[in-house]
């Protein structure tokens, strides 16, 4: 048989050489129904419905019947109609998860904790990022309500303003919880780290290492974490007779970008160095601020931790990866996400059982994580500073 040589691309029409797409029909294929499963299995649609919906009467149906119906459903690729199920049960098995800015490294481990706990509970997270915009936050809340989520979790990770929009969820008997913010009143539960205890841990660590001339970069005034962290610092300083030099205390600006604290750490550390006031350690509001401070110190030829120790707060992922790795006060972020899910799941169960549930405000304990950016002060460093 004479073979026919393959035609080269240059001999083919332009459209034939480049068009490798396959056209598909735009019409929807018919969905597999319970009646289809009934026809294949040989049982009545009513029996099939009882089995596939796991209705109370299912316990009276023979195991062999159940097995044949379930095998038929799998063979046909039957999937329950979520909308029909909702109309019957008024359940969506979904929880709204709202972030103010998901680019904040603070959010990642919290999201992991939320997602993992919801997965174990067979609930679907419907996630939204409001980009720190009030209008977007409001619109997403409306959309989540329209989709009949059974609960809401809000991760307030930077400048969460005092708003009362969550009241709609309370009015509709939908449980809600915030992470990183304690909402005023008794309508929304909350999960927060004990910021005051964290501030104390940070300064106590530096003090034990022999540091007395310590610089501080505090958090923005309106941020809920800032005041209690500073209160913890002041309380510990008072308890050991340590005088805080106010000329070494700076405060981050009010910014809606959580990642701006890195630039703030660079800028304020440079300002401290320009003042030529000596310090052997720097306590930063959060990890990004601390990493910015380290950048400025190294740029100025100051070795960390040999000449200046630095400590942060949060323990975001990059803290362990920096050089030097960052000593910090850890928030148990993933566990906080888990706890928020447990709180709203209790509310969901209570709502289904037509009973009240308790609004709770949890304060979780922080943990000191010692890495490379802090060390005991040397006599030579103390004299130089």
């Amino acid at each position: 048989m004479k073979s026919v040589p393959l035609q080269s691309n240059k001999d083919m029409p332009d459209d034939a050489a480049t068009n490798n797409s396959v056209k598909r029909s735009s019409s929807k294929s018919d969905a597999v129904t319970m009646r289809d499963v009934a026809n294949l299995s040989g049982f009545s649609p009513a029996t099939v419905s009882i089995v596939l919906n796991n209705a109370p009467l299912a316990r009276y149906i023979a195991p062999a019947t159940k097995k044949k119906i379930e095998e038929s459903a799998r063979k046909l690729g039957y999937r329950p109609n979520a909308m029909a199920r909702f109309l019957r049960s008024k359940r969506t098995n979904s929880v709204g998860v709202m972030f103010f800015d998901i680019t904040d490294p603070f959010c990642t481990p919290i999201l992991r904790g939320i997602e993992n706990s919801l997965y174990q509970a067979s609930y679907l997270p419907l996630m939204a990022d409001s980009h720190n915009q009030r209008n977007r936050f409001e619109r997403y809340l409306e959309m989540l309500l329209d989709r009949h989520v059974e609960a809401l979790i809000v991760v307030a990770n930077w400048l969460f303003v005092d708003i009362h929009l969550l009241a709609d969820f309370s009015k509709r008997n939908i449980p809600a919880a915030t992470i990183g913010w304690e909402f005023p009143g008794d309508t929304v539960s909350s999960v927060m780290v004990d910021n005051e205890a964290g501030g104390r841990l940070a300064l106590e660590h530096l003090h034990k290492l022999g540091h007395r001339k310590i610089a501080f970069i505090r958090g923005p005034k309106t941020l809920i974490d800032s005041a209690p962290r500073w209160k913890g610092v002041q309380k510990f300083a008072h308890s050991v007779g340590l005088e805080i030099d106010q000329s070494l205390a700076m405060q981050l600006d009010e910014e809606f970008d959580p990642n701006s604290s890195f630039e703030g750490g660079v800028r304020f550390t440079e300002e401290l160095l320009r003042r030529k006031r000596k310090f052997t350690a720097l306590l930063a509001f959060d990890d990004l601020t601390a990493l910015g401070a380290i950048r400025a110190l190294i740029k100025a030829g100051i070795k960390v931790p040999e000449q200046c120790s630095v400590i942060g707060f949060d323990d975001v992922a990059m803290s362990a990866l920096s050089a030097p790795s960052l000593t910090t006060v850890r928030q148990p972020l993933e566990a906080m996400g888990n706890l928020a899910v447990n709180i709203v799941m209790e509310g969901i169960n209570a709502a289904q059982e037509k009973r009240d549930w308790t609004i709770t405000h949890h304060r979780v304990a922080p943990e000191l994580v010692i890495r490379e950016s802090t060390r005991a002060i040397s006599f030579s460093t103390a004299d130089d500073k």
Side-chain angles (χ1 to χ4, degrees):
M1 180 177 180
K2 186 177 180 179
S3 61
V4 179
L6 293 175
Q7 193 174 13
S8 66
N9 284 347
K10 66 181 180 180
D11 297 325
M12 298 173 68
D14 289 342
D15 59 343
T18 59
N19 186 8
N20 295 318
S21 62
V22 177
K23 290 185 178 180
R24 297 186 182 275
S25 171
S26 61
S27 61
K28 289 185 178 180
S29 58
D30 293 335
V32 177
T33 66
M34 284 191 184
R35 187 170 295 278
D36 297 324
V37 178
N39 291 336
L40 180 62
S41 65
F43 296 99
S44 70
T47 302
V48 169
S49 176
I50 291 170
V51 171
L52 296 183
N53 287 316
N54 196 26
L57 290 176
R59 64 181 182 271
Y60 300 115
I61 295 176
T65 300
K66 289 182 181 179
K67 183 178 180 181
K68 189 169 183 180
I69 290 172
E70 290 166 353
E71 287 176 348
S72 297
R74 280 194 296 271
K75 185 175 180 179
L76 292 172
Y78 170 78
R79 300 290 299 171
N81 186 311
M83 181 57 68
R85 177 182 290 175
F86 166 70
L87 292 174
R88 288 193 304 270
S89 66
K90 305 303 180 186
R91 303 290 302 276
T92 62
N93 284 82
S94 64
V95 171
V97 182
M98 179 77 78
F99 293 89
F100 265 69
D101 192 336
I102 204 168
T103 65
D104 188 342
F106 170 89
C107 291
T108 307
I110 291 178
L111 174 57
R112 172 58 62 89
I114 292 172
E115 187 277 334
N116 190 49
S117 293
L118 288 176
Y119 174 78
Q120 293 179 26
S122 297
Y123 268 71
L124 179 70
L126 297 183
M127 290 177 285
D129 178 5
S130 69
H131 296 216
N132 287 308
Q133 298 171 14
R134 180 187 174 95
N135 290 341
R136 187 183 290 242
F137 182 83
E138 293 177 359
R139 180 67 183 124
Y140 272 139
L141 284 183
E142 293 172 359
M143 293 169 71
L144 291 172
L145 283 169
D146 290 343
R147 281 155 181 77
H148 301 280
V149 294
E150 296 185 36
L152 176 72
I153 297 173
V154 177
V155 183
N157 57 329
W158 187 242
L159 295 177
F160 187 102
V161 292
D162 184 9
I163 53 179
H164 299 282
L165 298 171
L166 300 186
D168 283 344
F169 281 79
S170 177
K171 291 175 184 176
R172 301 191 189 195
N173 234 24
I174 300 174
T178 57
I179 300 176
W181 179 269
E182 188 170 307
F183 201 80
D186 57 355
T187 58
V188 179
S189 294
S190 64
V191 179
M192 290 186 65
V193 73
D194 188 335
N195 282 294
E196 183 176 326
R200 180 184 181 91
L201 277 177
L203 185 56
E204 182 179 24
H205 173 65
L206 295 177
H207 188 267
K208 284 181 177 179
L209 294 176
H211 296 283
R212 299 296 182 267
K213 299 175 182 178
I214 302 170
F216 301 89
I217 302 180
R218 300 170 56 186
K221 288 183 180 179
T222 58
L223 185 60
I224 192 172
D225 297 333
S226 299
R229 287 184 197 178
W230 185 242
K231 184 177 181 181
V233 166
Q234 290 177 307
K235 277 189 174 182
F236 178 78
H238 179 74
S239 70
V240 296
L242 175 66
E243 183 178 352
I244 295 176
D245 185 346
Q246 294 300 324
S247 69
L248 292 177
M250 313 289 282
Q251 188 153 38
L252 292 173
D253 300 328
E254 310 297 327
E255 294 284 351
F256 283 100
D257 178 6
N259 297 301
S260 67
S261 60
F262 178 86
E263 288 77 16
V266 172
R267 179 160 50 90
F268 286 121
T269 302
E270 290 175 342
E271 173 63 25
L272 287 168
L273 294 174
R274 277 194 295 271
R275 294 181 180 182
K276 300 189 182 301
R277 296 300 301 270
K278 305 299 183 180
F279 56 93
T280 65
L282 187 148
L283 192 159
F285 168 70
D286 63 8
D287 289 344
L288 290 183
T289 306
L291 294 173
I294 290 174
R295 169 76 64 84
L297 290 167
I298 292 175
K299 184 178 178 182
I302 299 172
K303 295 179 180 179
V304 178
E306 291 85 355
Q307 294 173 281
C308 183
S309 290
V310 178
I311 187 169
F313 201 110
D314 286 342
D315 195 25
V316 298
M318 64 188 73
S319 300
L321 305 177
S322 64
S325 58
L326 183 65
T327 295
T328 187
V329 176
R330 173 183 292 160
Q331 294 197 55
L333 300 173
E334 186 168 339
M336 291 164 69
N338 293 334
L339 181 54
V341 171
N342 292 340
I343 290 171
V344 298
M345 290 305 301
E346 166 58 23
I348 289 172
N349 293 334
Q352 291 300 315
E353 296 167 7
K354 309 296 184 185
R355 58 179 172 83
D356 294 334
W357 66 87
T358 303
I359 301 301
T360 58
H361 299 290
H362 292 268
R363 295 289 177 91
V364 297
E367 175 189 355
L368 178 67
V369 180
I370 301 174
R371 297 197 180 103
E372 299 170 343
S373 68
T374 54
R375 60 175 284 182
I377 190 171
S378 66
F379 289 110
S380 60
T381 303
D383 293 339
D384 291 342
K385 294 292 184 181

